[in-house]
C-alpha cells in the first residue's frame, strides 16, 4: 500500500477504511510525530488548501487540523456557518461543488442528531476533493484514530484481550453526541480488544451501529459486551474511558427532530437520576493495577471524573490529545 493510493479518499467513518489502510495511516502518524519532534520538515501538502467548516465549537479538532495544515506546508480556512452562505440556506451540494473547485480538502463538524452524518455524506456525494469528518452525530473518526494510536503507544500493537471499559458518566456541560463511544465500539474490537460498555438503560447507544460493532468483534476476534453498572464495567479493565453522552439513542432521527424540546427535557430528567456515575478513585481501584484513564476531552471535572483521577498518573489524556495532530496530519497528508 502506498500513500498515493489514498488520494481523494473520504474520511467520514473508519468503518469505510480497511484495517490495512488504518494501519498505514497510523504508521504515517508515528513517522510524522518523530519528524515533528526532530523538527524535520515534512511538507506533504505544500501550497494546498483545506476548508474547515465548524457548526460547533472545538479546541482539539480545530487546532490539530489548522496547525497540522501549516506543518504540512499548506493552509486551512477556519469557517463557521455565520461566515458562509450556509447561514442563508446554501445547500451542502452547492457548498461542496464550489469549494472543491478552489482547494484540496473539505473538513466538517456537524453534530446535529439525525442531520450531521447526512450532511457530510451529501458533501461527499458532490465533492471532487476528499471530505473529512471533524465529528458528526454518529462518528468521530479523527478521535478514534488518535485513541487507537495512544493505546498502541502504551500497550503495543498486539491488543488482543486488552480490556477496555467505555462508560457513560454524569455531566452538566451539554448533551454530548454519541459519536465518540460509537466510533470506539466500532474500531477497538477490530483490533481484538475486549470492550465493555457500561451505561444506564436510559442512555443506550444506537442499535444499528451496535449491531455493526458486534459483527466487527465476531469477525476480528474482539469482544463487545454491555452492562448497566459502572462498577461492573470497570472491573479488571486495562483502560477506562468514562464520558457523558446524551440519550439520543432512545429516539429515531425523525422522532427527535420532530420533538426536540420534549426529547431534551426527557434526557435532562434521565440525566439527573445518575449523578453517581462518576469516575473516582474507588472505581479506579476496581480496575487492573496500572489502569489507564482516557477521555477525548473536554472533560467535565467534578461530574464525569474527580480531579484526583484526571490529574493522576493513570491519566493519558494529554498524549491522547496530542495524538490528534499526528493522526490528523496523516489523514490529511494521505487523502489531500
Ligand atoms: N475531542 C474533541 O473532539 O475535542 P474538541 O471538541 O475540542 O475538538
Amino acid at each position: 500500500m502506498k500513500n498515493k493510493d489514498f488520494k481523494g479518499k473520504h474520511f467520514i467513518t473508519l468503518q469505510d477504511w480497511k484495517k490495512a489502510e488504518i494501519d498505514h495511516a497510523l504508521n504515517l502518524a508515528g513517522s510524522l510525530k518523530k519528524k515533528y519532534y526532530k523538527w524535520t520538515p515534512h511538507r506533504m501538502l505544500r501550497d494546498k488548501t483545506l476548508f474547515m467548516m465548524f457548526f460547533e465549537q472545538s479546541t482539539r479538532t480545530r487546532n490539530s487540523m489548522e496547525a497540522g495544515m501549516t506543518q504540512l506546508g499548506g493552509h486551512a480556512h477556519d469557517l463557521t456557518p455565520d461566515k458562509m452562505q450556509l447561514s442563508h440556506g446554501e445547500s451542502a451540494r452547492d457548498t461542496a461543488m464550489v469549494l472543491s473547485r478552489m482547494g484540496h480538502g473539505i473538513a466538517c463538524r456537524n453534530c446535529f442528531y439525525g442531520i450531521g452524518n447526512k450532511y457530510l455524506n451529501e458533501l461527499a456525494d458532490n465533492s471532487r476533493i476528499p471530505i473529512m469528518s471533524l465529528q458528526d452525530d454518529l462518528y468521530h473518526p479523527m478521535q478514534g484514530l488518535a485513541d487507537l494510536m495512544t493505546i498502541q503507544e502504551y500497550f503495543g500493537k498486539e491488543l488482543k484481550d486488552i480490556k477496555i471499559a467505555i462508560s457513560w458518566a454524569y455531566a452538566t456541560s451539554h448533551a454530548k453526541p454519541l459519536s465518540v463511544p460509537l466510533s470506539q465500539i466500532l474500531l477497538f474490537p477490530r483490533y481484538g480488544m475486549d470492550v465493555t460498555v457500561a451505561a444506564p438503560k436510559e442512555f443506550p447507544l444506537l442499535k444499528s451501529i451496535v449491531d455493526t460493532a458486534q459483527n466487527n468483534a465476531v469477525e476480528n476476534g474482539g469482544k463487545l459486551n454491555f452492562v448497566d453498572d459502572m462498577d461492573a464495567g470497570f472491573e479488571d479493565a486495562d483502560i477506562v474511558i468514562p464520558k457523558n453522552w446524551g440519550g439520543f439513542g432512545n429516539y429515531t432521527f425523525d422522532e427527535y427532530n420532530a420533538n426536540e424540546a420534549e426529547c431534551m427535557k426527557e434526557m435532562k430528567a434521565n440525566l439527573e437520576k445518575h449523578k453517581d456515575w462518576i469516575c473516582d478513585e474507588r472505581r479506579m481501584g476496581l480496575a487492573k493495577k496500572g489502569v489507564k484513564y482516557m477521555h477525548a476531552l473536554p472533560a467535565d471535572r467534578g461530574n464525569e471524573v474527580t480531579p484526583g483521577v484526571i490529574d493522576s498518573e493513570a491519566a493519558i489524556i494529554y498524549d491522547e490529545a496530542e495524538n490528534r495532530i499526528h493522526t490528523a496530519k496523516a489523514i490529511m497528508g494521505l487523502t489531500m
Side-chain angles (χ1 to χ4, degrees):
M1 196 166 284
K2 298 200 162 47
N3 286 357
K4 67 178 172 49
D5 299 337
F6 292 78
K7 285 285 166 269
K9 188 170 172 61
H10 299 307
F11 186 72
I12 294 177
T13 165
L14 284 163
Q15 194 64 22
D16 292 340
W17 282 49
K18 295 187 190 82
K19 207 155 159 268
E21 292 172 331
I22 297 172
D23 290 340
H24 188 92
L26 285 170
N27 284 338
L28 178 59
S31 139
L32 292 172
K33 185 169 184 172
K34 285 192 191 117
K35 286 185 174 146
Y36 173 83
Y37 276 105
K38 286 188 183 156
W39 210 235
T40 307
H42 45 278
R43 298 191 184 98
M44 292 177 77
L45 298 178
R46 204 169 49 205
D47 301 333
K48 291 198 170 177
T49 299
L50 173 73
F51 302 105
M52 303 191 298
M53 297 158 53
F54 280 94
F55 286 74
E56 288 94 8
Q57 298 82 353
S58 165
T59 295
R60 280 140 290 270
T61 308
R62 183 191 309 278
N63 292 296
S64 59
M65 298 292 287
E66 188 163 343
M69 271 307 284
T70 303
Q71 292 166 25
L72 291 171
H75 177 67
H77 293 204
D78 181 10
L79 301 166
T80 46
D82 60 298
K83 290 181 188 152
M84 299 178 73
Q85 295 294 8
L86 295 174
S87 54
H88 294 140
E90 185 159 24
S91 68
R93 174 185 155 79
D94 290 347
T95 304
M97 293 288 272
V98 171
L99 293 182
S100 64
R101 287 171 181 237
M102 295 183 178
H104 308 88
I106 300 174
C108 180
R109 168 174 286 193
N110 183 337
C111 297
F112 293 107
Y113 187 63
I115 293 170
N117 181 255
K118 279 191 195 140
Y119 187 85
L120 264 83
N121 278 298
E122 209 179 328
L123 290 175
D125 288 344
N126 293 286
S127 173
R128 53 191 194 190
I129 57 177
I131 300 297
M132 282 162 267
S133 171
L134 302 178
Q135 186 176 19
D136 65 27
D137 51 331
L138 306 181
Y139 308 111
H140 195 353
M142 293 286 185
Q143 185 64 52
L145 195 61
D147 289 346
L148 182 55
M149 180 175 182
T150 311
I151 293 169
Q152 288 186 339
E153 284 176 345
Y154 277 89
F155 291 86
K157 298 239 161 149
E158 177 47 69
L159 295 169
K160 186 151 174 52
D161 297 330
I162 292 293
K163 193 167 163 15
I164 303 206
I166 296 173
S167 179
W168 185 90
Y170 177 77
T172 55
S173 34
H174 67 111
K176 302 186 190 191
L178 301 176
S179 45
V180 170
L182 287 176
S183 297
Q184 291 167 339
I185 63 164
L186 283 167
L187 182 62
F188 296 166
R190 291 175 73 186
Y191 283 78
M193 291 184 245
D194 177 357
V195 178
T196 298
V197 177
K201 63 181 182 339
E202 296 92 343
F203 293 89
L205 295 176
L206 218 60
K207 186 173 174 336
S208 56
I209 295 182
V210 168
D211 289 346
T212 307
Q214 298 276 25
N215 285 341
N216 284 353
V218 171
E219 282 169 14
N220 296 282
K223 291 185 194 141
L224 179 59
N225 296 302
F226 290 82
V227 294
D228 61 2
D229 177 328
M230 196 170 185
D231 285 7
F234 270 48
E235 233 161 74
D236 241 9
D238 295 290
I239 302 168
V240 294
I241 314 182
K243 182 188 181 309
N244 181 258
W245 59 80
F248 299 102
N250 285 312
Y251 313 105
T252 65
F253 297 153
D254 289 346
E255 263 168 8
Y256 180 83
N257 282 301
N259 306 291
E260 188 179 350
E262 274 303 302
C263 295
M264 287 303 288
K265 200 171 146 198
E266 190 174 71
M267 276 160 52
K268 173 95 182 109
N270 285 333
L271 176 74
E272 295 310 319
K273 293 182 204 163
H274 300 293
K275 282 191 167 166
D276 58 335
W277 282 63
I278 183 167
C279 176
D280 58 13
E281 289 82 339
R282 181 190 68 77
R283 285 195 165 113
M284 289 295 277
L286 300 172
K288 277 207 188 99
K289 195 168 171 337
V291 61
K292 301 296 179 203
Y293 165 87
M294 295 178 71
H295 193 297
L297 301 178
D300 189 339
R301 284 167 177 262
N303 287 312
E304 285 180 313
V305 59
T306 59
V309 171
I310 194 168
D311 295 326
S312 74
E313 290 284 305
I316 55 172
I317 50 172
Y318 303 123
D319 295 317
E320 185 183 0
E322 179 192 323
N323 283 336
R324 291 294 308 275
I325 191 168
H326 307 303
T327 46
K329 282 164 69 178
I331 296 302
M332 292 188 286
L334 288 171
T335 61
M336 283 175 64

